[in-house]
Amino acid sequence: MPPRELTQAVDTLAQLDAVTVREDLRQKEDGRKWILKVQLRLTDPPADTQVPRETDWYVLIEDTYPWGSIEIHPSKENSITATFPHQRRNHPGSEEEPWRNGNICVSQYGHILGRSGAITEPRDPDERLRWHLERAVAWLETAANGNLQQPGDPYEVPEFDTRAAPNRTLAFNETYDSFEDWQSVSGSWGTVELRQLAEPTGTLATGEFRDLDDHVIHQPEWGDYIKDNTEDVFHGAWILLDSTPFEPPWEAPETWRELENVLEDAPIELYELLGKVSSTVTEEDIQILLIGFPIPEEIGDPDALIRWQAVKLPSLKQPAEHAGGFRNTERNREILARVDLVNKEIQWLDSENWAHEQLARRGSLSKPLSETKVLLIGTGALGSTLAECLVRGGVQELTLVDGETFEIGNLARHTLTLPDVGEEKATALAERLQSLTPHASVEAITEDFPPTDESRDAVASSEIVIDCTGSNAVLGALRRFPWKQPTLFTSASMGRRGNRLFVYSAYDTAFPHNRFREALEPWLLQERLEWSHGEDAVPERVGCWHPASVIRMDRVTTWAGTISRYLDQTTDLGHGQSKLTVLETQAEGEVPLVSEAEPPFQDSIEWASADSSITVRIPAGRLAAVKDLCAEAKEVETGGILAGTYFSGGEALVVRATDPPSDSTHGPTTFHRGTEQVDEWLQAANERLGIQYLGEWHYHPAAPPEASDDDYDEMVSIATNESYHCPDPILVIIGGSPPDDLSVNVYVFHREGDFEELHRANPEDEPEDSQ
């Protein structure tokens, strides 16, 4: 039996005129999802649309409802068969199931599917399923009218069918700068070097692109990993289009005949391209075709990037191998390529942009740090962990200096692993760091600082130098070393038990060792006093005593992450400036001391119901801002919308109150709140802050803050309009004469048609600045 919450949710679908339940709920065999068949009806679809007036759909609901996913798939019978924007590839899917795979996206793109009021997905069991189906109807109506893509939407590429070539991936490297380079390319096709990587298995990385005259026109810039892990190099073909090769409404071609149709306006005919390129590469080489096209970042924006989509070609016979035999001419190769391919399905390859600016969008460091040549001295516990933070954060050019060997005892507090035992630390760490990104170039210098003459030039040209050795000898050598330019120096070390982090930075022509010691000496004395009676090291081995610090890896990672953030803040130091930062927590072995944050919105003013648990809280600063708007309005009414969030138990918190929209009308005794940019504002507030529409605020100049008949009618209309998704809208009325004689009343209206006037809770607690 379906759970009661789900059956009640299905019952609420009767409220939607455009939705009819066709079959009762049934459970999938694996028990993880419930299946509901529905029919969706459009009011007045265009005559030329691919969307029928009535379509059948299957709703797949996780058994954790009201939590978990809700998917809406077209039925295999009496539904849409095309693929539209904001939809998975709409292919028939499994033979055992009656639905297609074209799940539609209704939980995003609120400014397209939203109506007046909030667009936040509800979590109430009685509302969530109905919300999804209501938006499915809106999605279908928008699809029928061809309006699913709107300016400002993130640009998306249709889903390509890669099932026929599941173990191949193309990694290309296209940036905003390379897009400009491609704009000046006169040719439209040629050959491309493809590097087959040892890992990830089946991955091909693009190398040199050559035109029809065999001139190099584009060379992607890769890091050491691509260069050092290339198993084989062969050639494929490329063609660059002026527009996207998609079939309407929004799907990738699935056969060579379909691809030929969408390439009608291409700079060169498809089979002519294959005939020409096959004369310059061997049959085995021409197994991959790259189809390139320009794309924007957002709908409506100019094109900004080149997107490559790879195709795996079937084996093409040489002309002489065809029945009857043919001369090996370009024209014959073109004709025979058409014969071989025209009725075959395309084997698309997964194709991904591995450009640095695309991969580094998650948690990247600032450009002054990531695009600078960095030297890291010391690859022990702190140094190795910091190096990983830097490379994962986007640092592309890093040199490591360390003359030590990785030992078994280092495993407890290092990023290297068992296979690295006995290897030189710098070399092993460089190899590991190169595997973190296709763009890092990491050089290892396997000697102590300062290096010998052979490596001095590479070190001297560094722009940022980080010391993680904790060695006074190294710091002295930093002062004496002949740097080629002013350099940003940073020395980072932990206290004897890891409870402190010392970070000293200076921008100068040499490391200011004397200033560093003066700044650090009081702290070193404090460290000696604190640990003079305690053990801060343990013997690592039996026999001769080998001291080893007791600092744990969790503390090392905490401080390494802190240093990487700190480095981002020190790149603006002026010449000759220096700074010491000391961060402190509790001693090793104890839970780190974390101060308790003050609960937010403690200055809120609260209104409560005398008959229910409903409360409304408004921060004093927000209420003061609304009163300022009332003062600006002077003798005419004004108002705006309220946004915030509901907590459990009927508590509402208002965190935003808007100015009156620009198309509002104001009068001495009337105000009509406009709608200009309201939906857009609500969408942005929901996506960035997670808040939703809560109600309205009005100002009654020189009058009591009491709801008028017009106010009552407006709020009842909002409460009963389900498109607002706000069954209990709030009305805040400010009345009186600004600035000092203003008072506030708060009302809550209900979908059933009644309302409550709330009263101030603890009025003596109101801050003075809110009066």
Side-chain angles (χ1 to χ4, degrees), residues 79-214:
S79 196
I80 62 172
T81 57
T83 303
F84 291 83
H86 310 322
Q87 181 184 18
R88 301 301 300 268
R89 180 173 162 268
N90 193 17
H91 60 91
S94 170
E95 293 182 359
E96 290 77 24
E97 304 294 359
W99 57 80
R100 303 173 67 88
N101 279 14
N103 179 35
I104 62 175
C105 179
V106 299
S107 60
Q108 301 293 328
Y109 309 103
H111 59 297
I112 297 175
L113 305 182
R115 310 257 178 100
S116 298
I119 60 173
T120 307
E121 179 176 354
R123 291 295 175 182
D124 184 274
D126 289 345
E127 294 186 11
R128 186 170 181 236
L129 180 61
R130 186 175 71 245
W131 184 87
H132 275 262
L133 268 299
E134 184 178 29
R135 289 171 66 84
V137 174
W139 184 96
L140 204 56
E141 290 175 344
T142 311
N145 287 280
N147 295 325
L148 276 174
Q149 290 183 314
Q150 293 292 319
D153 280 356
Y155 185 84
E156 63 180 28
V157 175
E159 189 175 11
F160 287 79
D161 183 6
T162 60
R163 294 173 298 166
N167 299 319
R168 283 286 192 186
T169 297
L170 174 77
F172 60 92
N173 183 356
E174 295 293 349
T175 66
Y176 305 117
D177 290 337
S178 70
F179 178 81
E180 297 299 325
D181 295 339
W182 281 109
Q183 301 307 294
S184 61
V185 172
S186 57
S188 57
W189 62 271
T191 60
V192 58
E193 179 185 76
L194 297 171
R195 296 173 169 266
Q196 182 170 305
L197 304 184
E199 296 289 343
T201 304
T203 300
L204 304 171
T206 55
E208 293 179 344
F209 285 77
R210 293 178 178 267
D211 62 15
L212 65 157
D213 295 321
D214 204 35

Side-chain angles (χ1 to χ4, degrees), residues 185-312:
V185 172
S186 57
S188 57
W189 62 271
T191 60
V192 58
E193 179 185 76
L194 297 171
R195 296 173 169 266
Q196 182 170 305
L197 304 184
E199 296 289 343
T201 304
T203 300
L204 304 171
T206 55
E208 293 179 344
F209 285 77
R210 293 178 178 267
D211 62 15
L212 65 157
D213 295 321
D214 204 35
H215 297 144
V216 176
I217 56 174
H218 176 53
Q219 172 121 31
E221 296 183 5
W222 294 110
D224 293 339
Y225 183 83
I226 301 296
K227 302 171 186 174
D228 298 342
N229 288 272
T230 298
E231 285 189 329
D232 196 7
V233 178
F234 57 95
H235 293 83
W238 65 267
I239 178 173
L240 183 60
L241 309 177
D242 294 329
S243 59
T244 54
F246 308 144
E247 291 190 299
W250 196 243
E251 49 195 321
E254 297 188 1
T255 67
W256 286 94
R257 186 184 298 276
E258 291 175 355
L259 180 60
E260 181 183 14
N261 292 337
V262 299
L263 297 185
E264 285 182 342
D265 297 327
I268 183 172
E269 197 269 340
L270 175 63
Y271 298 107
E272 181 185 355
L273 167 70
L274 299 182
K276 287 179 179 294
V277 176
S278 63
S279 65
T280 62
V281 295
T282 68
E283 179 190 355
E284 178 154 349
D285 285 337
I286 191 171
Q287 296 301 305
I288 302 293
L289 169 65
L290 271 56
I291 300 176
F293 45 91
I295 61 172
E297 286 209 301
E298 293 183 348
I299 300 295
D301 285 355
D303 291 330
L305 288 169
I306 296 297
R307 162 83 185 198
W308 294 103
Q309 190 67 40
V311 178
K312 183 179 184 299

